Amino acid sequence: GAVPSAQVVSLSTGAASLPYAAQVVSGGGWLTVTNSSGTTPSSISVSANGSALTSGNYVGTVTVSATGAWNSPQTLTVYLTVTQSMTVTPGSLTFIGLNLASQAIFVNANSPLQNLTATASSTGWLSVAPSSGAQTGDFTASVNPAGLAPGIYSGSVTITASGVTNSPQTVLVTLSVPKPSLTSPGNQNTLVSLIPTLNWSATAGAASYDVYFGASSPPPLISNTVSTSYVPGTLLSNTTYYWRVVAKNGGASSSSDTWMFTTEIGTSATITASVSPASGSGLQQTFSLHVSDTAGAADASTVFLYFNASFSSAANSCMIEYYVPTNTLYLVNDAVTAWPSASVGSSATLG
């Protein structure tokens, strides 16, 4: 506990005034005497300071001698009880995100502590180092959100020391694993542009995002990006698409909800097309395609071309999209989730 107040001892030798001397015989490390010499009548001040002692009971002695006094010297017995207390700060720790710096726990005491230890609750995601300290010191709490689903998790670090009146002390620890928040296109939106931009809010601690997108649920992984937006390309009209993102940092990850939207219905017009040759065989064939729009070439947006052995079914066909505004050709895969592209007139190979 706190250092006790000094105690005053009165000295008297009756009618005579005699010289005296006081000295500490035992307990010299924690026991002191002030006004230790003089003449009677007088007083001495005895002080005890156990701040450098461990908890326990201590006994010291002080002798007072007076020249000429028949009962000199006199012995004072001093008893000191040392109790210890410690202060642990802060009382709680909060971690938010996927990439989290460690946080310090500080331990202070009114005297050196014995067997000081720190123990993390058995949560699997919380740890503390070092596990023990010699006297007073600092500990470091760390969290690892790898493998945790989005949500709020609670744990604690317990600080203990031998002989301390307020031991153990508990530091509460809260870990918040955030869920990525999708923003647009909104969930279940309709009439979405055929060239949408997928947008989401930044997730604390995320280094990158996996983007899952497609016309089936659950959607497949199509890209990884450090951005908080992604353009999946030109989509089919009047088609429902599903998407979600997974925020990542090292082994930690957090998935958003899966959203869906339906694209707009494309404007129809009478389109005529001629292909030369009309059919062919062999491993390689060159086609010449001419497309005309009755509404005028400026109104044409997207033209889909199907190549197949038979037009009775679209199964196993090769589908190529021609996007007029950018003069670009796209080879569409079966799941409608990937669009290798090439500019018209270039020598690129789609595949």
Side-chain angles (χ1 to χ4, degrees):
V3 176
S5 300
Q7 297 192 33
V8 176
V9 179
S10 297
L11 303 178
S12 175
T13 53
S17 178
L18 300 177
Y20 75 87
Q23 65 177 353
V24 174
V25 177
S26 62
W30 53 269
L31 185 59
T32 58
V33 175
T34 57
N35 196 31
S36 59
S37 62
T39 57
T40 62
S42 185
S43 62
I44 60 174
S45 179
V46 179
S47 301
N49 184 348
S51 60
L53 304 176
T54 59
S55 59
N57 297 314
Y58 298 83
V59 179
T61 55
V62 175
T63 59
V64 181
S65 303
T67 303
W70 65 269
N71 60 344
S72 175
Q74 293 285 297
T75 299
L76 299 176
T77 302
V78 180
Y79 299 94
L80 173 66
T81 298
V82 176
T83 59
Q84 288 180 292
S85 63
M86 62 180 177
T87 302
V88 178
T89 56
S92 63
L93 300 174
T94 300
F95 297 86
I96 301 175
L98 298 180
N99 184 26
L100 303 163
S102 300
Q103 297 188 39
I105 299 173
F106 303 97
V107 180
N108 293 292
N110 60 326
S111 59
L113 299 172
Q114 298 296 314
N115 302 318
L116 179 63
T117 62
T119 306
S121 57
S122 55
T123 59
W125 51 265
L126 175 62
S127 61
V128 62
S131 59
S132 61
Q135 296 182 0
T136 60
D138 303 339
F139 296 92
T140 300
S142 303
V143 298
N144 181 6
L148 298 180
I152 297 177
Y153 299 83
S154 298
S156 62
V157 173
T158 301
I159 309 294
T160 61
S162 300
V164 176
T165 56
N166 63 340
S167 174
Q169 293 280 299
T170 300
V171 178
L172 300 179
V173 181
T174 301
L175 168 63
S176 177
V177 180
K179 175 188 293 186
S181 178
L182 308 183
T183 57
S184 65
N187 192 25
Q188 300 186 29
N189 274 12
T190 59
L191 302 178
V192 173
S193 167
L194 297 181
I195 312 177
T197 300
L198 310 180
N199 296 288
W200 58 92
S201 298
T203 301
S208 66
Y209 301 88
D210 282 343
V211 181
Y212 292 76
F213 180 83
S216 59
S217 181
L221 173 65
I222 63 170
S223 183
N224 176 269
T225 178
V226 297
S227 176
T228 55
S229 64
Y230 181 77
V231 179
T234 303
L235 308 184
L236 299 176
S237 66
N238 196 29
T239 302
T240 298
Y241 291 90
Y242 303 85
W243 69 293
R244 69 183 178 101
V245 298
V246 176
K248 302 176 67 177
N249 192 312
S253 63
S254 177
S255 175
S256 72
D257 294 328
T258 298
W259 280 13
M260 58 184 290
F261 64 85
T262 302
T263 54
E264 63 187 351
I265 301 174
T267 303
S268 61
T270 302
I271 295 178
T272 61
S274 62
V275 179
S276 178
S279 62
S281 62
L283 298 178
Q284 183 172 341
Q285 185 65 259
T286 301
F287 292 92
S288 175
L289 175 67
H290 176 76
V291 178
S292 61
D293 179 8
T294 57
D299 297 326
S301 174
T302 305
V303 178
F304 290 96
L305 312 175
Y306 292 86
F307 297 88
N308 205 352
S310 171
F311 292 112
S312 61
S313 171
N316 301 315
S317 65
C318 174
M319 185 172 78
I320 295 178
E321 173 194 357
Y322 173 49
Y323 186 58
V324 177
T326 59
N327 201 32
T328 304
L329 292 175
Y330 296 89
L331 177 63
V332 185
N333 68 0
D334 290 341
V336 198
T337 58
W339 301 265
S341 63
S343 298
V344 173
S346 68
S347 59
T349 299
L350 299 179

